[in-house]
Amino acid sequence: MSAEPEVLVDRHDRILVITLNRPAQKNAMTLAAAHVVAEAVDLLDGSPDLSVAVLTGAGGTFCAGMDLKRFAQGERPALPGRGFGGLVEAPPKKPIIAAVEGWALGGGFELALACDMVVAAEGARFGLPEVRRGLVARGGGMIRLPQRLPRSVAMELLLTGDPVDAARAERLGLVNRVVPGGQARGAALDLAGRIAGNAPLAVRCAKEVASAASDWSQDEVWLRQAPFSDAVFASDDAKEGALAFVERRDPVWTGS
């Protein structure tokens, strides 16, 4: 009997669903799984008929981080230029949503931090316990968490290793919405569907500018934005959006 794939990749219309599929190991990341995630990211960005991705985990857990048994044997579930899980150093150019049930721990939390939005079940927990294992959260935890939270809160999570529940994560702004247990994937798909219904060029531009603008100085921000937004305003989709509004119909996007 062949083994179950460590990562499942499925299409739902314009949505790509990436499911970590090692439920018996709490979806702990492996090098093989990282390669599949990276391939899925490339598929998302390279396919004109895909607009957005949902990243989730099977069996009621998002991801418990790296597989420590394999780590002890010398395996590192990271790829050059892409980092942990094939994702944290090189997120897709198109939007990606984390759908979190259960634990998002260590590298699992860092995967969620690399996503643009997070939908969490009520029982979800987020934590960076690396310091308790003699390690540090080098998959983006030390970088992204202080960008998302007040410094004192980020330092508490990084230095104690204590987790936060979904309700507090939502209050802190780490989570977009909290839903009943078992419904994170469905709610993330609903959110992804709303994004996928919008003009692909505009969605991609919005993410690219929002992701890059924090590194732009105030003197250059408008000039740096212009090439992105000018291309959108000159697109066929921009014309179609205006025409559809005037004609009171749904737009038909071509991505051009």
Side-chain angles (χ1 to χ4, degrees), residues 138-154:
R138 70 176 184 178
M142 294 186 293
I143 298 169
R144 290 190 170 106
L145 205 60
Q147 294 172 347
R148 303 280 185 87
L149 298 176
R151 184 179 183 277
S152 58
V153 177

Side-chain angles (χ1 to χ4, degrees), residues 34-172:
H35 277 286
V36 180
V37 172
E39 291 169 1
V41 167
D42 288 343
L43 175 63
L44 172 67
D45 280 341
S47 299
D49 57 340
L50 290 170
S51 294
V52 57
V54 170
L55 176 64
T56 191
T61 298
F62 181 69
C63 176
M66 69 178 172
D67 189 315
L68 291 178
K69 290 182 180 179
R70 296 196 185 189
F71 174 79
Q73 297 168 359
E75 180 179 289
R76 304 292 184 268
L79 304 182
R82 293 180 181 262
F84 178 84
L87 176 68
V88 298
E89 293 180 22
K93 293 181 180 179
K94 294 178 182 178
I96 182 168
I97 303 168
V100 180
E101 300 273 355
W103 284 103
L105 201 61
F109 190 6
E110 291 171 315
L111 289 173
L113 287 171
C115 293
D116 300 294
M117 289 156 277
V118 180
V119 175
E122 290 172 340
R125 299 289 186 274
F126 302 82
L128 295 170
E130 282 84 350
V131 291
R132 299 180 180 182
R133 306 288 184 264
L135 304 170
V136 291
R138 70 176 184 178
M142 294 186 293
I143 298 169
R144 290 190 170 106
L145 205 60
Q147 294 172 347
R148 303 280 185 87
L149 298 176
R151 184 179 183 277
S152 58
V153 177
M155 294 304 292
E156 176 186 348
L157 299 183
L158 286 166
L159 301 183
T160 66
D162 292 342
V164 294
D165 61 21
R168 188 182 182 204
E170 184 181 33
R171 291 195 300 271
L172 291 170

